[in-house]
Amino acid sequence: MLRRHVAPTLVVGLDCASPELVFDRFATEMPFLESIRASGTWGPLRSTDPPITVPAWACMTSGRDPGELGLYGFRNRIPSSYGWRMAEARDVRVKSVFDHLSNAGRRVASLFVPLTHPAPPLRGCSISGFLTPERSNAWTFPRRLSSELTARHGSYRADLIEFRGVAFPEACRNLHAMADQHFSIAHELFSEFTPDLMMMVEIGPDRLHHCGYHLFDPESRSYSEEHEALARDYYRALDRHIEQLAGNYPSNASIIIVSDHGAQAMRGGICINDWLCEHGYLFLNRGLSKSPQRLGVEDIDWSKTKAFGEGGYYARICLNIEGREPKGIIPASRFELVRDRLAKELSSWCMSEGLSAPLITRPEQHYRTARGFPPDLMVYFEDLAFRSLGTVGHPKLIASENDLAPDGCNHAWNGIGILNDNATRYPTQGELREGMHLYDITPTLLSLQSIEPPKGILGSDLSALPSTDSDAPISEPSGGLHSNVHW
């Protein structure tokens, strides 16, 4: 049931914040979040597949899955080529929750949300997120805000310039400075625009974790109490910032705290392209290097290659299909046979190495549709505790470290979700709520603003009474061989 009275809503996104930290280890550092949990509903918030900043925030703010958006990670394949390019805001070709609210006459502030450059025009204001290019003049809407905010808050800190490999104390100082600026800007824009919905995303927790998760993880050999104190201090500062921002809102406002995915210690990496070479799927024009190197298109002998991979939080394996790739050699009629064989061989190898069988996703079977140019196999190792390393030339197929830069953590499937909606009475206020999903955020925000969610979006309204059908699927996979995939 939609509300007749519309109260303002504040959403604070904490990129990469995990239930293990916010709800457990660091809970005492976050008394404000503890207080809104005590009078609301909270629990793990299941991320997208894949659980990556891009596409997760775009899915959260649209109610669409990665296949519908055609976003399978930070980088996505370029059709009719072997190339990859970074995702951009223009790749999101569906309306966001901010668009729906603006069209309904609501005032909106979208601040620092990933994949929003150039800052989109809204009935209110917007500031683009961490992928904002340096020296951009399009990071705010209205455009006048860029010079005004710079004059009062200094140069825009869209992200840390460096965070992997930076000394942890230095990274923490920079993270505090970035959070100080972002929340100060949010305070100012709330006063100027008085939005019905303000959503801001702080990228800092993600940078903290990638820079130093291993330094404040008690199970890590690199752990120290000094580093844990720095991490706790940062989370304590975030809690104070959120409390002060929420203080601008009336008592009947809804406050939502979310993250796009969680974090966990990185245990190692699978050298996916070296594996493809050893198993006769990938052939190089040169011998393997003595040290790990990036694999360029020119390095591959495409006349023999059946498959190639891309590294990251998961392995994206692409087959070299005749008529689809520029120099494809696998007939389309043999696509399924080769793909299934590769998946079976990779699973068997993992188990022979003492690892668990990887989670392997076939995009066109998993998503409602698979737009753009999806990989043919999406492979998750050790429940995301192992990365996929796309470089070649590793001495072993299983590595203990990231290949391109030092990294303290990997992502995890569950982020956090906290909803304190003073207009709704939950039957179990303050108790853990299972089964929440990132897709639930868009229908919830629309419902809180008394706007009927458009047909076709995923998720459920979290502000409504919990459904008794907790096992209902979020989406049904589409059938057929690549029925909606670029071929």
Side-chain angles (χ1 to χ4, degrees):
M1 181 69 68
L2 298 179
R3 291 165 184 73
R4 295 176 181 176
H5 176 68
V6 176
T9 303
L10 169 65
V11 182
V12 178
L14 302 176
D15 198 287
C16 197
S18 69
E20 294 80 5
L21 293 179
V22 175
F23 298 156
D24 187 7
R25 282 186 60 205
F26 291 177
T28 56
E29 315 302 334
M30 312 190 83
F32 179 69
L33 264 60
E34 283 279 271
S35 70
I36 61 174
R37 276 204 285 155
S39 57
T41 188
W42 61 277
L45 190 72
R46 182 73 173 187
S47 186
T48 50
D49 179 354
I52 299 176
T53 298
V54 175
W57 289 108
C59 293
M60 183 189 295
T61 55
S62 67
R64 306 289 178 175
D65 68 35
E68 292 176 278
L69 300 180
L71 295 174
Y72 306 96
F74 279 87
R75 286 162 28 98
N76 295 277
R77 288 194 65 187
I78 301 171
S80 304
S81 78
Y82 293 109
W84 302 74
R85 69 169 178 84
M86 287 291 291
E88 301 175 346
R90 64 179 180 176
D91 295 323
V92 182
R93 299 175 183 176
V94 299
K95 288 184 178 181
S96 70
V97 65
F98 311 114
D99 296 319
H100 292 302
L101 289 171
S102 292
N103 293 341
R106 304 291 192 271
R107 295 184 304 278
V108 176
S110 167
L111 309 181
F112 326 121
V113 178
L115 212 60
T116 56
H117 183 273
L122 300 171
R123 188 184 296 271
C125 62
S126 63
I127 298 179
S128 58
F130 77 105
L131 292 176
T132 300
E134 290 187 57
R135 295 181 292 277
S136 167
N137 60 1
W139 58 277
T140 68
F141 179 86
R143 296 289 181 251
R144 63 170 175 80
L145 285 178
S146 59
S147 58
E148 296 174 4
L149 293 176
T150 300
R152 290 191 288 271
H153 301 277
S155 298
Y156 176 39
R157 297 174 180 260
D159 195 3
L160 297 195
I161 297 176
E162 296 288 345
F163 58 93
R164 288 185 172 94
V166 174
F168 194 58
E170 179 185 353
C172 288
R173 287 192 294 271
N174 292 333
L175 288 170
H176 280 284
M178 183 169 67
D180 290 345
Q181 183 193 66
H182 290 179
F183 280 91
S184 293
I185 290 173
H187 278 284
E188 180 177 321
L189 296 182
F190 176 85
S191 298
E192 179 174 350
F193 291 93
T194 59
D196 297 296
L197 167 68
M198 173 180 280
M199 179 174 181
M200 68 167 290
V201 174
E202 184 57 38
I203 193 69
D206 182 88
R207 289 8 189 166
L208 181 87
H209 299 163
H210 284 296
C211 177
Y213 193 91
H214 59 302
L215 302 176
F216 59 86
D217 177 7
E219 297 184 3
S220 168
R221 289 177 296 178
S222 303
Y223 169 83
S224 76
E225 292 182 354
E226 292 78 10
H227 290 125
E228 179 172 339
L230 291 172
R232 286 181 176 274
D233 184 57
Y234 177 71
Y235 270 86
R236 192 180 307 120
L238 288 177
D239 188 73
R240 289 196 300 268
H241 280 307
I242 297 170
E243 181 178 20
Q244 292 166 3
L245 184 60
N248 293 321
Y249 284 77
S251 59
N252 66 337
S254 298
I255 301 175
I256 299 175
I257 313 296
V258 292
S259 65
D260 54 334
H261 54 74
Q264 63 179 312
M266 189 186 80
R267 290 171 46 201
I270 304 299
C271 307
I272 190 61
N273 279 319
D274 284 319
W275 185 91
L276 290 170
C277 286
E278 286 200 12
H279 288 77
Y281 288 96
L282 175 61
F283 292 84
L284 304 182
N285 285 323
R286 53 176 172 75
L288 290 176
S289 59
K290 295 182 180 180
S291 60
Q293 296 182 10
R294 291 181 181 272
L295 186 62
V297 174
E298 67 283 356
D299 298 321
I300 298 176
D301 182 350
W302 296 107
S303 67
K304 300 178 181 177
T305 290
K306 298 182 182 70
F308 56 100
E310 173 80 351
Y313 300 105
Y314 72 103
R316 281 173 279 183
I317 298 177
C318 305
L319 301 187
N320 194 24
I321 302 298
E322 189 178 286
R324 187 183 72 173
E325 273 72 24
K327 299 179 180 180
I329 64 170
I330 301 174
S333 61
R334 291 179 56 81
F335 169 80
E336 291 288 4
L337 178 66
V338 175
R339 181 169 69 166
D340 289 347
R341 184 179 66 206
L342 193 159
K344 183 178 180 179
E345 290 179 3
L346 183 56
S347 294
S348 297
W349 174 82
C350 285
M351 290 185 285
S352 73
E353 294 292 326
L355 304 174
S356 58
L359 171 64
I360 300 180
T361 295
R362 293 160 173 79
E364 82 286 351
Q365 297 173 10
H366 182 68
Y367 301 118
R368 299 195 296 183
T369 187
R371 295 191 172 94
F373 202 162
D376 295 311
L377 291 173
M378 302 168 66
V379 186
Y380 302 91
F381 298 105
E382 294 299 284
D383 204 24
L384 290 166
F386 274 62
R387 290 178 66 90
S388 167
L389 309 186
T391 50
V392 292
H394 295 267
K396 298 180 180 180
L397 296 182
I398 300 177
S400 59
E401 303 288 343
N402 192 19
D403 52 350
L404 299 178
D407 205 325
C409 89
N410 256 15
H411 291 177
W413 290 109
N414 287 331
I416 63 168
I418 305 172
L419 171 61
N420 190 297
D421 171 18
N422 289 292
T424 299
R425 301 293 92 189
Y426 292 94
T428 54
Q429 281 191 335
E431 293 188 11
L432 175 67
R433 182 169 177 176
E434 301 285 359
M436 294 192 296
H437 201 288
L438 176 151
Y439 296 124
D440 297 333
I441 301 304
T442 283
T444 299
L445 295 180
L446 292 174
S447 175
L448 289 172
Q449 292 294 315
S450 293
I451 297 172
E452 190 72 34
K455 293 181 179 180
I457 68 169
L458 295 166
S460 304
D461 174 14
L462 295 176
S463 68
L465 292 178
S467 172
T468 57
D469 185 12
S470 59
D471 296 325
I474 291 172
S475 63
E476 291 292 337
S478 58
L481 170 60
H482 285 197
S483 55
N484 292 294
V485 181
H486 175 89
W487 187 257

